[in-house]
Amino acid sequence: MDAAPHHHGYIRRKDDYLKRLRRIEGQARGLQRMVEEEQYCIDILTQVAAMTSALQSFSLGLLEEHMNHCVVDAARAGDAEAREKVAEAMAAITRLVKS
């Protein structure tokens, strides 16, 4: 960890991100309830798709914050740090695309 305090790009919207995660958590609980109540498969799958979409939207927002804050700051700092942050972002994008 850095010696100096480092603020992540999403920190300005931390409360918004936490609200979104709580909604996603509620969706997960709803899915559990649907299975417990033996709801129709297609209805459950529809809710899975909604939760997946919410997670993807959350991820893309966080990625955008990372690109606009961490990657831009690294680009200002210099070539080696910029390349490292771009590689890190590309690895994250690859993981998101594969999921």
Side-chain angles (χ1 to χ4, degrees), residues 23-24 27 31 43-57:
R23 280 195 298 269
I24 292 167
Q27 288 176 299
L31 283 167
D43 293 339
I44 296 170
L45 290 170
T46 298
Q47 292 308 309
V48 168
M51 186 175 168
T52 300
S53 177
L55 281 168
Q56 288 172 338
S57 177

Side-chain angles (χ1 to χ4, degrees), residues 80-98:
E81 190 173 342
R83 289 181 189 280
E84 179 183 332
K85 289 295 181 187
V86 168
E88 183 180 74
M90 286 306 301
I93 293 166
T94 300
R95 286 191 301 274
L96 288 172
V97 170
K98 288 183 178 181

Side-chain angles (χ1 to χ4, degrees), residues 9-84:
Y10 65 85
I11 203 75
R12 296 180 325 269
R13 295 183 52 213
K14 180 179 172 181
D15 289 340
D16 293 337
Y17 283 109
L18 288 171
K19 286 177 192 174
R20 290 173 81 177
L21 286 171
R22 286 185 196 104
R23 280 195 298 269
I24 292 167
E25 181 181 28
Q27 288 176 299
R29 282 193 304 273
L31 283 167
Q32 291 171 0
R33 192 169 36 257
M34 290 178 82
V35 171
E36 287 170 355
E37 296 171 358
E38 300 176 8
Q39 299 275 329
Y40 185 54
C41 299
I42 298 302
D43 293 339
I44 296 170
L45 290 170
T46 298
Q47 292 308 309
V48 168
M51 186 175 168
T52 300
S53 177
L55 281 168
Q56 288 172 338
S57 177
F58 174 84
S59 298
L60 289 173
L62 202 57
L63 180 62
E64 182 178 7
E65 296 282 354
H66 178 71
M67 298 296 286
N68 285 322
H69 181 78
C70 300
V71 174
V72 168
D73 285 353
R76 288 184 185 124
D79 191 51
E81 190 173 342
R83 289 181 189 280
E84 179 183 332

